[in-house]
Amino acid sequence: MKKGTKERMLILTGNYGDGHIQVAQAIQDAMQIRFPHMEPVIIDFMEWVHPYMNHLSRNVYLQAVKTFPQVYGYLYQKTRRQNTLSYIIKTVFSTGIGRMMKLINEIQPAIVVCTFPLAAGVMSKLKSYGSIDIHTVTIITDHTDHSSWIYPYTDQYIVGSRSVRDSLIQLGVEETRIADTGIPIRPQFSQSIEREKTAKKYGLDPHMPTVLVMGGGCGMIGDGSSTIQKFDLLSQPVQFIIVCGHNEKLRMKLNESLKISKHRIYLTGYINYVHELMAISDIMITKPGGVTTFEAIAMELPMLLCKPIPGQEQDNAKFLVRSGVAIHAETSGDLTERLSELLDDAKLLQHMIENTKQFHPKESAFASLEVIFGTIAMNNRSSEIKICS
């Protein structure tokens, strides 16, 4: 790196679900506030390493998870622990050594942060070959553990809770290599937002029971249109904010089918002001992605979880229900019934809000950076020792 330029942090992420990218952006945003002397560089790992296959492989993955969730769940559970199958899968997917080395030489980072498991795998392989000696930090973006995140040459793991930390220890990761700071979330989820003013900003009633419906970046929530239409069975009028993400087909379908709804509807596609919608909502209906649910915890927003995909989403759901910040609708059929129960039980909602306070998500991105920069300092000390010796 040229003299006088900022030291760089390379953040490797992947667009297989929005969570990995959201965590990368959270680290970038927090760095610009707290550590402006460093330059964050975010790279989509799959797009860089496999530019010709990335779009196809991403679509195949998302369709497979949506169409054959039980198969995905079976493979997820079979590879939860390190075994022959998990080793084979890691070997198959840890390709792209040459292009990764080219990126490292171009960026010359002081440290590498991975929010995507395949990126952590390639970094570990490069280190095992002796090709690089750069400290590597992996941020796990769910409320659970899995062997796909674990590699021998990862220097530090950042996890969302003590339970994930304990699980990693059981997987053989040294306790000193794990920091349970919480999943990093963007700084805007730490802000205090005035409900009445913000609701009026979007033409909504600040005094009406408000339910935020999230389906993830791809807008996959329950059975889509039919699930939302069942909300007309609720006895009281409710204000629904429905975020369809990138699913434009669903948004257009709902826009037509909900014209005769007795409820007040605010319908949108992919947005960058979710924090404001969370701030004016009383309940959030969502699939249990790790990052979105941690953002909701930061906003003290009770959750109703719907149809988690077998695998990490089921693990996330169990963690959130056990923590008392969410309840789980087992099927799309009882989603409306569970929502009705929550809307009628102010005491339960308040109890769920209180349970969110056991976590400390508002500072999670900054706490993660303290761990990361501690790793850089440790690396520098090790280098000085080697030079002196």
Side-chain angles (χ1 to χ4, degrees):
M1 189 179 300
K2 293 180 180 180
K3 188 175 180 180
T5 60
K6 292 183 179 181
E7 280 194 309
R8 290 173 173 173
M9 175 191 293
L10 176 58
I11 307 172
L12 298 173
T13 188
N15 191 20
Y16 284 57
D18 277 0
H20 306 295
I21 291 178
Q22 288 171 0
V23 170
Q25 290 174 340
I27 292 296
Q28 175 182 254
D29 292 350
M31 275 186 69
Q32 291 169 345
I33 295 170
R34 192 69 59 86
F35 297 98
H37 63 281
M38 289 285 292
E39 179 185 353
V41 179
I42 297 178
I43 297 292
D44 185 321
F45 170 79
M46 291 296 290
E47 186 175 291
W48 174 267
V49 172
H50 303 292
Y52 303 110
M53 292 181 56
N54 179 47
H55 183 71
L56 175 63
S57 61
R58 177 178 180 271
N59 286 341
V60 168
Y61 167 77
L62 293 174
Q63 285 302 315
V65 169
K66 186 177 180 180
T67 309
F68 305 107
Q70 297 304 325
V71 174
Y72 174 81
Y74 173 80
L75 290 173
Y76 183 90
Q77 295 300 337
K78 289 292 286 186
T79 57
R80 179 182 290 279
R81 297 291 182 262
Q82 304 273 15
N83 53 39
T84 302
L85 179 58
S86 67
Y87 177 78
I88 292 172
I89 291 175
K90 282 183 174 184
T91 301
V92 169
F93 286 105
S94 61
T95 56
I97 296 292
R99 285 189 62 81
M100 193 68 246
M101 197 66 226
K102 180 182 178 182
L103 180 65
I104 293 291
N105 289 332
E106 182 179 318
I107 302 297
Q108 296 186 37
I111 194 165
V112 175
V113 175
C114 302
T115 71
F116 187 63
L118 300 186
V122 170
M123 286 300 300
S124 183
K125 183 171 282 190
L126 281 172
K127 294 179 75 172
S128 73
Y129 292 161
S131 302
I132 59 173
D133 185 23
I134 303 171
H135 263 52
T136 304
V137 177
T138 291
I139 303 177
I140 297 179
T141 58
D142 285 293
H143 305 295
T144 188
D145 63 282
H146 194 271
S147 66
S148 62
W149 289 98
I150 311 303
Y151 294 92
Y153 288 88
T154 297
D155 298 288
Q156 188 76 44
Y157 293 89
I158 291 174
V159 300
S161 67
R162 181 170 291 274
S163 66
V164 178
R165 172 180 169 275
D166 293 343
S167 296
L168 291 194
I169 292 171
Q170 291 180 4
L171 286 174
V173 180
E174 295 90 341
E175 185 175 352
T176 55
R177 293 167 60 202
I178 311 167
D180 55 330
T181 64
I183 299 172
I185 57 174
R186 288 162 292 171
Q188 54 259 50
F189 290 93
S190 304
Q191 299 170 358
S192 177
I193 299 173
E194 186 183 338
R195 175 168 179 148
E196 186 162 345
K197 181 180 178 181
T198 306
K200 290 179 178 179
K201 173 181 174 180
Y202 296 108
L204 297 169
D205 185 346
H207 307 293
M208 192 174 187
T210 302
V211 177
L212 174 62
V213 183
M214 298 278 294
C218 296
M220 298 187 295
I221 183 74
D223 298 318
S225 180
S226 62
T227 299
I228 304 297
Q229 285 177 299
K230 289 177 183 176
F231 293 153
D232 264 2
L233 298 174
L234 292 169
S235 59
Q236 60 174 308
V238 175
Q239 188 167 241
F240 282 98
I241 303 172
I242 305 173
V243 180
C244 299
H246 298 293
N247 195 333
E248 183 62 16
K249 183 178 178 181
L250 175 61
R251 191 189 69 80
M252 292 176 65
K253 190 175 182 180
L254 289 175
N255 188 53
E256 189 63 33
S257 64
L258 296 179
K259 284 181 178 178
I260 58 173
S261 174
K262 71 178 182 182
H263 302 297
R264 189 168 186 169
I265 307 292
Y266 180 88
L267 191 62
T268 183
Y270 189 83
I271 56 172
N272 60 4
Y273 50 90
V274 172
H275 58 293
E276 295 188 342
L277 300 184
M278 286 187 177
I280 61 178
S281 299
D282 300 294
I283 300 165
M284 180 173 75
I285 298 174
T286 185
K287 293 178 68 62
V291 179
T292 297
T293 55
F294 209 66
E295 290 169 346
I297 288 171
M299 302 300 292
E300 300 181 3
L301 180 60
M303 288 171 274
L304 174 54
L305 308 177
C306 177
K307 294 188 72 175
I309 296 168
Q312 68 269 27
E313 284 195 0
Q314 281 189 342
D315 288 352
N316 289 341
K318 290 175 184 176
F319 172 81
L320 295 164
V321 171
R322 189 170 64 245
S323 300
V325 298
I327 63 173
H328 180 200
E330 297 292 339
T331 65
S332 296
D334 70 1
L335 181 63
T336 301
E337 183 178 342
R338 300 307 300 274
L339 177 58
S340 179
E341 292 171 2
L342 274 177
L343 289 168
D344 291 339
D345 195 338
K347 187 175 180 180
L348 174 58
L349 279 177
Q350 186 57 43
H351 183 63
M352 294 169 74
I353 291 170
E354 292 302 316
N355 286 335
T356 65
K357 297 174 184 178
Q358 66 185 293
F359 300 92
H360 302 282
K362 293 184 183 297
E363 291 294 316
S364 58
F366 299 111
S368 297
L369 281 178
E370 294 292 344
V371 172
I372 292 168
F373 279 90
T375 304
I376 293 178
M378 188 182 302
N379 187 35
N380 290 339
R381 285 197 297 270
S382 297
S383 299
E384 289 172 4
I385 290 170
K386 287 178 184 177
I387 293 170
C388 292
S389 60

